[in-house]
Amino acid sequence: MQDVQRVLLSEEEIARKVKQLGAAITEDYQGKDLVLVGILKGAIVFLADLMREIKTPVNVDFMAVSSYGEGTTSSGVVRILKDLELSVEGRHILIVEDIVDTGLTLEYLVDILSSRQPASIRVAALLDKPDRRMVDAVPDYLGFSIPDDFVVGYGLDFAEQYRSLPYVGILKPDAYQEG
Ligand code: PRP
């Protein structure tokens, strides 16, 4: 892909990590009523792979929240665009995110979902950019901690492009500077 400067995480590396995360989640949630909450749209690829590595029954639902719009920086403003269809009261929630950046989205999600009386809330994130953190938010299940480069692929976009790349790549500055 010509807009990608280099591959940061290959398909194989991601698959290995997702398998490990799935195994850990399987062990931790044995016999528990688990609801995976995928955060649209970035989490769809990670969620699709992760759920197949969890060998205990799960329910799946989705939320969509706005945070970045089409820009490259977080506005800090979060609002619900699509809410859950399932009830989570008394159930174990695992929020599934592609990336934790400033942490504002996650802080908001944990806050709003806590008010619905779940049995527990944890977070699985494929990627973490700790350098950009503005609030105290730590994923319980983490794939990779990465530097503050502009990454796309495996669900992550820039202006709605590149989500379908099977790897995580660093975008060439030309690709986002031209807009
Ligand atoms: C991304 C990502 C997280 C959020 C993380 O979503 O999927 O939800 O940003 O950023 P934060 O930690 O700074 O809040 P985005 O708004 O880009 O939407 P998308 O998943 O539809 O691409």
Side-chain angles (χ1 to χ4, degrees):
M1 152 55 74
Q2 58 173 13
D3 294 345
V4 170
Q5 194 163 57
R6 72 181 176 92
V7 173
L8 183 66
L9 302 165
S10 69
E11 278 187 76
E12 294 73 21
E13 275 175 275
I14 296 170
R16 264 199 304 277
K17 186 65 79 172
V18 171
K19 230 180 211 328
Q20 288 170 8
L21 294 175
I25 293 164
T26 302
E27 198 176 315
D28 294 350
Y29 288 92
Q30 228 34 268
K32 292 186 175 164
D33 184 6
L34 175 59
V35 184
L36 301 180
V37 174
I39 310 305
L40 297 171
K41 301 172 189 170
I44 55 168
V45 182
F46 179 44
L47 176 67
D49 284 346
L50 183 66
M51 65 192 281
R52 285 175 290 176
E53 297 296 342
I54 300 175
K55 313 294 183 188
T56 187
V58 295
N59 279 192
V60 179
D61 206 347
F62 295 94
M63 283 182 83
V65 294
S66 72
S67 58
Y68 279 53
E70 291 199 344
T72 57
T73 53
S74 180
S75 62
V77 176
V78 181
R79 104 193 132 86
I80 296 182
L81 303 177
K82 183 217 172 293
D83 208 337
L84 294 177
E85 290 169 17
L86 300 176
S87 165
V88 290
E89 191 176 338
R91 313 180 72 189
H92 295 274
I93 296 176
L94 183 60
I95 297 173
V96 180
E97 267 287 24
D98 53 340
I99 187 163
V100 183
D101 194 341
T102 64
L104 292 167
T105 305
L106 203 51
E107 183 181 58
Y108 173 79
L109 285 167
V110 169
D111 208 45
I112 195 129
L113 291 173
S114 300
S115 71
R116 300 180 187 181
Q117 274 90 46
S120 70
I121 304 185
R122 283 185 185 166
V123 177
L126 180 74
L127 305 174
D128 187 11
K129 277 187 179 173
D131 295 349
R132 300 220 348 127
R133 196 70 92 255
M134 290 168 63
V135 293
D136 191 18
V138 184
D140 302 277
Y141 303 95
L142 174 64
F144 305 91
S145 195
I146 61 168
D148 186 18
D149 293 314
F150 205 97
V151 289
V152 294
Y154 199 76
L156 287 95
D157 75 314
F158 170 67
E160 294 301 327
Q161 291 190 80
Y162 314 110
R163 291 193 199 275
S164 60
L165 296 177
Y167 52 82
V168 173
I170 297 176
L171 200 57
K172 281 183 187 162
D174 290 1
Y176 53 85
Q177 279 159 7
E178 283 166 13

